[in-house]
Amino acid sequence: MDGPKTKGEDGEVEPSPYEGIQKNAILHEAKCFDDKQISARQCIEVLTKIMYLIIQGEEFTPSEISKVFFSVTKLFNSRNVHLRRMVYLALKNLPADPEEAMMVVNCLAKDMTGRTDLYRANAIRVLAKTLHPSMIGSFERFMKQAIIDKDPYVVSAALLAGNHMLKSGADSIKRWTSEVQEALNNHSPMVQLHALTLLFKLKQYDPLAVSRLAISLARAPPRGPLAQVLLIRCIALVIGRQPKPDRDLLKFLQDKLHDKSFTVMYEAAKTICELPNINRTQVISAIGVLQEFLSSHVPAQRFAAVRTLSKVVLRFPIAVAPCSVDLEHLINDSNRNVATIAITTLLRTGVEQNVDRLMKSISGFMTDTSDEFKIVLIDAIKSLCLKFKHRHKTLLAFLSASLREEGGKDYKRAIMNAILEIIEKIPETKETGLEQFCEFIEDCEFPKLSMKILDLLGSEGPKTKHPGKYIRFIFNRVILETASVRSAAVTALARFGAHVPQLTRSVQVLLSRCASDDDDEVRDRAVLFLHLLEMKDLSVAKQFFDSEAPADPKRLVASLEAYLEGKKDLAFDVSKDLVEVEEIDDGQGKGAGERKSTQNSGGGSPANYNQGGAAADTTTAANLSPQMQVNVYKELLGKIPQFATLGPLFKSSSASELTESETEYVVSCVKHVFKEHVVLQYNVTNNMEDQLLENITVEIESEDPDWAEEKVVAEKSIAYGATGVCFVCLSRPMEGFKKENFNSGSIGNTLKFYVKDIENGVPQSVATEDEYQLEDLEIVESDFMLPRNNIRTMDFKKKWDEVGDATQAIKKFSLGLEDLQNAVDAVIDLLGMGPCDNMNEVPENARSHGVFMAGEFLSGGKRLPVLCKAGFMLDQRHGVTLKIAIRCPDVNVSQLLTTSVR
């Protein structure tokens, strides 16, 4: 096991003193915890080794953890202060079973109410981790006393404990509000920060309460710099919701520009510059402070200032212009990132006379800068070229040179998109840009970029004065590139043959050579285009390339498959034989063609389950109604034996994207809701042409321990361009409504797989384990709601009266939004219910609007009908106010759903 390394005085790396220790040996040494005469020094050494193993990721079995845990609790008999601190640290870090951890609560409670402040603070910290949510109320009195204690260490520990327990015991923690507000007056900066953090979390879902908190603290702010930074961020949140900044809050921010602390000054300047409703006059003072930081001797201050100015210049270029002299001094900064951002900012503020000088400065250090900053620089050069159009030769030459230099795919794509935009907006640069692209594809190592350039050459090349000069570059791709690039090159050649009659014969000769290509796609395209070009009238070929596709490719493929499976007496007619892939049934009343088209009409390969062989097009399913989504996924999940005991499927959500669409691996997640479980379906697409993925799974980490991972179904393999599916099944407690959990909190996702490199189309035998971090997701109350959109207003009113007001829950919110339509859409999305009679559409210029919604909520294994009346009122001063009333046979559900609007 490799431990952490440290550097000695001579600069040599020294190994950790615990490197190479073995778990079994340490567990044997842990028997000293049971000795009658406890040796504090020996126990501290053993505990340190155990903590080291845990931090290094050593896995302990449950029995080992249990044995060590109970042995450590015996050390409470020792009065040695240093050993007691290690005992607290061990109890916090040992992953003990929650029921076993409860055994130590009495010892912690004794220390918590003792006289030794060191014991009290540490006991509170450990108690926050081990205490069951149902017992938080019994310790409420002690925690309140700790918050108003004289010792700041104890107070800070109690506030941090409140932050930790807020998720599971919010109702109890909310009763601490007065004590937490009192802690804001503590002289310790640490206590002020922790108190303000907890206070903000208690009020964060009530915009009005947050606004009042910000206004009151702006009048009497805390003294600690970190607490002031947090207060500034809170004020920024409040001002961002206002149509115009509040004068008092804005004055507070401007006063903090002259604070003694750099951190507070920078945070205030950065916040003022980023306010959405600020004007140029109000931002000048903040820019002045940032300008002072540009000449600071501290690198971090220079970087922070120039980074903020690079964002401000996009909105207020004139206001940033006075900083030009200071920014020019940073061009030669030893930190290349600072220098790059400084030049980027100068490009956006500079005048035309400085363009040539700035471009010379840029070319000197491009090779030492990361791709992330290069992309920002390329965007600034593009903007400069569009601003000073007659300077395009200098700027295009720089972009062309950058295109031929080494760099990643994102960097090359940014340059290519910049040149494309310049070509589009400055017509005289077209031929120059196309020539630069021709040179780039000669050595381009990214197939997708080559294909995009070939498509551009095919569409724009024939329109130039000398189209023949591009043929050689295109045909070189037919000889030297992969099958996908060769296909794009064949299409580009055919476009020249169709639109330039002088080149038609030459193109036919070149295409005839492609007709014997090894790849069937290349051969088929070559034969088709030869047939078009051999016609006497080239207008047919021109019409073929200039016309739009008769239908969406997915729909066309599905229609052809349905046609081939049906009667073939008549030729296929695009105007008559297209099928609607969205219309899917559970097998009754629909032909095989429609069902087939719905399953296999997705882009690329369908998501194939590795054992059952089932397929489902999740892209198509996302466009269906909720009930139709259930039918689509029911067949997929029904063929997986691990899910056979979960019961009927209640609802399947739309796919949530966990990565960007152009990453190496594109992953989306669909949530399938059952009575006691939620199945997460991860759709994984492999975009790496030289990789084969095997044994693909997703490892999750739930913020809420109640959501336990129960089953994992892996995907065997995913080739390039294909999509595979893996699953994670989560269980949730179902012991009565109070125990039933409808919100998982944040769920972290990590894609795990083995990679085999592809050489000459053959996967290598050696597989390397790898992982890919995905975005977090969350299971919320709306996932358990099935919307009902087919209820008329009259029927809704009748059912509303039938339910009665005995189980009704009412709440009023200030949404912080400035548009009625956005507010209506947001509330419908948060509740997951369906509006009646298109009431989700707000009339133009309306100041108020009402919406009736209906749905079915899954609670206790039952589908409970839910009705909702929502009234929206738009006020110029406070934005949109919502009053919501929900009725359900179960009053607990009504109350739960009113609180889900947050």
Side-chain angles (χ1 to χ4, degrees):
M1 180 182 300
D2 294 332
K5 310 292 184 180
T6 57
K7 285 190 176 182
E9 295 180 358
D10 55 356
E12 294 184 359
V13 177
E14 297 179 356
S16 167
Y18 301 110
E19 183 177 359
I21 60 176
Q22 299 296 321
K23 181 181 71 172
N24 292 334
I26 303 304
L27 291 177
H28 180 73
E29 293 180 15
K31 293 182 179 179
C32 66
F33 301 158
D34 301 324
D35 294 344
K36 292 183 179 180
Q37 296 294 329
I38 296 176
S39 171
R41 183 175 181 180
Q42 183 183 5
C43 292
I44 290 173
E45 180 71 16
V46 175
L47 284 173
T48 303
K49 292 179 180 179
I50 292 175
M51 292 300 98
Y52 174 83
L53 291 175
I54 292 175
I55 293 171
Q56 292 297 310
E58 185 73 44
E59 293 186 2
F60 289 78
T61 64
S63 60
E64 291 171 343
I65 290 291
S66 179
K67 187 176 181 180
V68 171
F69 181 83
F70 284 113
S71 298
V72 170
T73 58
K74 296 178 182 179
L75 299 179
F76 273 103
N77 296 323
S78 174
R79 295 184 179 181
N80 186 283
V81 176
H82 300 292
L83 177 57
R84 182 64 65 88
R85 294 181 70 180
M86 284 300 300
V87 169
Y88 290 131
L89 187 61
L91 292 176
K92 278 182 64 179
N93 288 278
L94 281 171
D97 183 83
E99 294 183 359
E100 294 177 352
M102 291 296 296
M103 303 294 292
V104 80
V105 168
N106 290 332
C107 296
L108 295 173
K110 183 178 178 182
D111 285 353
M112 178 180 169
T113 56
R115 297 182 178 180
T116 307
D117 290 337
L118 182 64
Y119 291 175
R120 291 170 60 201
N122 282 288
I124 290 171
R125 290 174 182 267
V126 180
L127 193 66
K129 185 176 180 182
T130 58
L131 196 62
H132 193 274
S134 61
M135 297 182 64
I136 294 177
S138 59
F139 285 86
E140 182 177 340
R141 181 171 62 88
F142 302 105
M143 298 299 290
K144 287 183 176 181
Q145 290 177 350
I147 293 175
I148 59 176
D149 196 86
K150 295 181 180 180
D151 190 286
Y153 190 47
V154 175
V155 179
S156 181
L159 293 170
L160 289 174
N163 273 290
H164 185 82
M165 296 185 293
L166 188 60
K167 182 69 178 179
S168 55
D171 293 337
S172 299
I173 307 299
K174 286 179 181 178
R175 292 194 290 268
W176 304 1
T177 302
S178 59
E179 286 77 12
V180 176
Q181 287 179 330
E182 185 176 344
L184 278 173
N185 301 320
N186 195 291
H187 65 278
S188 171
M190 177 179 62
V191 173
Q192 293 176 2
L193 172 64
H194 294 157
L196 184 56
T197 302
L198 181 57
L199 199 59
F200 177 73
K201 286 186 177 180
L202 290 171
K203 301 175 181 291
Q204 62 181 332
Y205 298 120
D206 187 349
L208 185 59
V210 173
S211 179
R212 289 174 178 171
L213 174 66
I215 292 173
S216 63
L217 290 179
R219 294 169 182 167
R223 295 180 181 179
L226 294 179
Q228 290 187 27
V229 168
L230 184 59
L231 174 59
I232 289 172
R233 294 180 179 179
C234 179
I235 288 174
L237 183 65
V238 174
I239 294 179
R241 294 170 176 166
Q242 300 172 343
K244 291 184 179 180
D246 182 272
R247 288 186 178 181
D248 295 335
L249 295 181
L250 187 59
K251 185 178 183 301
F252 172 81
L253 294 179
Q254 291 173 339
D255 290 343
K256 288 303 169 184
L257 293 174
H258 309 289
D259 196 87
K260 296 180 180 179
S261 170
F262 158 76
T263 307
V264 176
M265 291 175 64
Y266 172 71
E267 189 66 30
K270 175 174 172 285
T271 299
I272 291 175
C273 292
E274 292 180 349
L275 290 175
N277 44 13
I278 203 81
N279 58 46
R280 184 165 62 91
T281 305
Q282 294 168 325
V283 85
I284 288 177
S285 57
I287 292 177
V289 172
L290 295 174
Q291 184 177 2
E292 294 178 7
F293 293 154
L294 292 177
S295 56
S296 171
H297 66 281
V298 182
Q301 294 183 7
R302 297 197 303 271
F303 179 81
V306 74
R307 187 67 181 266
T308 304
L309 286 173
S310 69
K311 298 177 181 178
V312 180
V313 74
L314 298 174
R315 297 173 61 194
F316 308 108
I318 298 177
V320 181
C323 305
S324 298
V325 176
D326 299 281
L327 289 170
E328 287 190 20
H329 291 160
L330 294 180
I331 292 178
N332 299 319
D333 195 276
S334 57
N335 187 316
R336 285 305 183 194
N337 293 334
V338 172
T340 303
I341 300 175
I343 287 187
T344 303
T345 309
L346 279 171
L347 288 173
R348 288 169 174 158
T349 60
V351 294
E352 187 175 358
Q353 290 78 6
N354 297 334
V355 170
D356 293 334
R357 181 166 53 85
L358 290 175
M359 298 310 296
K360 290 179 181 179
S361 302
I362 294 172
S363 57
F365 59 85
M366 283 290 284
T367 54
D368 300 330
T369 308
S370 64
D371 281 3
E372 178 186 359
F373 290 102
K374 286 181 182 178
I375 292 172
V376 176
L377 194 60
I378 294 300
D379 184 64
I381 293 173
K382 178 198 69 178
S383 302
L384 193 66
C385 186
L386 297 177
K387 183 178 180 181
F388 306 119
K389 295 184 178 180
H390 60 279
R391 289 278 186 175
H392 64 78
K393 289 184 179 180
T394 303
L395 300 174
L396 271 179
F398 177 82
L399 292 176
S400 176
S402 302
L403 199 58
R404 294 191 296 271
E405 293 175 356
E406 293 185 2
K409 184 178 180 181
D410 291 336
Y411 172 53
K412 300 288 185 176
R413 184 191 293 112
I415 299 174
M416 189 181 72
N417 290 336
I419 296 176
L420 284 174
E421 188 170 345
I422 292 172
I423 290 174
E424 181 182 351
K425 296 184 178 180
I426 309 177
E428 58 266 28
T429 63
K430 179 184 293 184
E431 293 200 20
T432 304
L434 294 180
E435 289 173 3
Q436 292 172 352
F437 282 143
C438 287
E439 295 177 7
F440 171 59
I441 60 175
E442 289 290 313
D443 300 312
C444 180
E445 56 185 1
F446 305 109
K448 289 189 176 181
L449 298 186
S450 296
M451 293 168 63
K452 188 172 183 178
I453 291 174
L454 288 169
D455 181 67
L456 175 69
L457 290 173
S459 59
E460 299 296 332
K463 303 174 185 177
T464 59
K465 295 180 180 179
H466 306 287
K469 62 183 178 182
Y470 304 110
I471 298 295
R472 174 174 63 86
F473 297 98
I474 298 174
F475 187 68
N476 284 345
R477 301 307 99 215
V478 177
I479 301 173
L480 304 173
E481 289 287 356
T482 60
S484 57
V485 178
R486 296 203 303 273
S487 299
V490 167
T491 304
L493 283 174
R495 285 178 178 270
F496 278 86
H499 291 87
V500 186
Q502 299 89 337
L503 298 176
T504 303
R505 181 57 188 161
S506 301
V507 170
Q508 287 177 347
V509 174
L510 297 178
L511 290 178
S512 62
R513 298 181 184 179
C514 303
S516 57
D517 193 274
D518 295 336
D519 186 75
D520 56 350
E521 175 72 16
V522 178
R523 291 196 306 270
D524 291 347
R525 291 195 185 197
V527 171
L528 171 62
F529 298 148
L530 275 173
H531 177 71
L532 291 173
L533 296 180
E534 287 172 355
M535 293 182 179
K536 294 181 179 180
D537 188 1
L538 289 178
S539 60
V540 177
K542 290 181 182 179
Q543 184 181 2
F544 174 83
F545 287 113
D546 296 340
S547 61
E548 297 291 335
D552 180 78
K554 298 177 184 179
R555 186 182 179 193
L556 185 59
V557 170
S559 303
L560 289 170
E561 289 176 348
Y563 169 77
L564 293 174
E565 291 184 1
K567 298 180 179 180
K568 305 178 185 178
D569 297 338
L570 300 175
F572 180 82
D573 189 342
V574 175
S575 62
K576 298 179 180 179
D577 296 330
L578 289 179
V579 297
E580 297 292 338
V581 294
E582 292 81 10
E583 295 179 4
I584 183 168
D585 198 272
D586 56 358
Q588 300 176 357
K590 294 290 180 185
E594 281 116 333
R595 294 197 300 274
K596 177 90 173 181
S597 66
T598 305
Q599 293 175 350
N600 296 322
S601 61
S605 302
N608 296 315
Y609 173 57
N610 57 334
Q611 296 175 7
D617 184 355
T618 56
T619 303
T620 301
N623 299 322
L624 302 178
S625 66
Q627 185 57 49
M628 288 184 176
Q629 287 180 7
V630 173
N631 295 332
V632 172
Y633 292 117
K634 192 178 294 181
E635 183 178 1
L636 171 63
L637 298 172
K639 294 184 179 181
I640 303 176
Q642 290 91 328
F643 303 150
T645 60
L646 299 184
L649 177 63
F650 173 72
K651 177 185 177 182
S652 295
S653 72
S654 57
S656 302
E657 299 297 330
L658 303 184
T659 62
E660 295 183 1
S661 59
E662 296 180 357
T663 53
E664 299 94 324
Y665 315 107
V666 178
V667 183
S668 62
C669 180
V670 178
K671 293 172 277 190
H672 303 293
V673 179
F674 293 85
K675 177 181 177 182
E676 299 180 3
H677 300 81
V678 175
V679 175
L680 303 178
Q681 172 186 325
Y682 296 92
N683 308 309
V684 184
T685 301
N686 177 16
N687 288 335
M688 299 298 289
E689 191 171 2
D690 58 347
Q691 290 184 1
L692 173 67
L693 308 185
E694 293 185 342
N695 193 24
I696 302 96
T697 59
V698 174
E699 182 181 275
I700 68 166
E701 184 176 357
S702 177
E703 186 179 272
D704 189 339
D706 289 340
W707 291 81
E709 179 183 300
E710 192 170 284
K711 300 173 185 177
V712 176
V713 180
E715 174 66 286
K716 284 185 177 178
S717 64
I718 305 177
Y720 166 64
T723 301
V725 180
C726 55
F727 300 88
V728 176
C729 180
L730 303 176
S731 62
R732 58 192 185 95
M734 294 291 293
E735 302 173 5
F737 183 84
K738 293 185 178 180
K739 292 285 186 179
E740 193 170 6
N741 201 330
F742 299 98
N743 193 309
S744 67
S746 179
I747 298 178
N749 303 278
T750 304
L751 184 67
K752 301 250 180 178
F753 51 88
Y754 287 84
V755 179
K756 285 186 177 180
D757 293 332
I758 304 294
E759 294 185 6
N760 300 322
V762 179
Q764 302 300 298
S765 58
V766 179
T768 306
E769 187 176 5
D770 202 355
E771 64 180 40
Y772 192 80
Q773 191 64 41
L774 308 176
E775 295 288 340
D776 293 351
L777 61 86
E778 187 176 9
I779 300 171
V780 294
E781 293 83 355
S782 61
D783 292 321
F784 299 86
M785 179 73 73
L786 195 63
R788 296 186 62 187
N789 300 304
N790 55 351
I791 297 182
R792 295 180 301 174
T793 303
M794 296 299 295
D795 296 333
F796 176 91
K797 293 180 179 179
K798 182 179 179 181
K799 292 181 179 181
W800 179 267
D801 295 333
E802 289 175 356
V803 176
D805 58 1
T807 59
Q808 177 175 282
I810 300 178
K811 200 168 184 180
K812 191 174 182 180
F813 302 85
S814 177
L815 298 180
L817 298 174
E818 306 298 330
D819 183 76
L820 272 180
Q821 186 64 64
N822 292 340
V824 170
D825 294 340
V827 171
I828 292 175
D829 182 62
L830 287 170
L831 292 174
M833 304 177 72
C836 300
D837 290 343
N838 298 321
M839 297 182 72
N840 58 314
E841 298 179 2
V842 180
E844 292 185 9
N845 302 320
R847 308 297 299 175
S848 62
H849 188 67
V851 182
F852 295 165
M853 291 175 276
E856 293 182 348
F857 191 80
L858 180 65
S859 176
K862 300 178 182 179
R863 301 162 73 113
L864 301 177
V866 181
L867 302 173
C868 172
K869 286 185 177 181
F872 300 82
M873 181 73 71
L874 178 60
D875 181 77
Q876 291 183 351
R877 185 175 181 184
H878 301 99
V880 178
T881 303
L882 166 68
K883 183 177 182 181
I884 190 172
I886 296 180
R887 292 184 180 182
C888 176
D890 188 340
V891 67
N892 293 316
V893 173
S894 302
Q895 295 172 351
L896 172 73
L897 293 176
T898 55
T899 59
S900 68
V901 181
R902 52 184 179 266

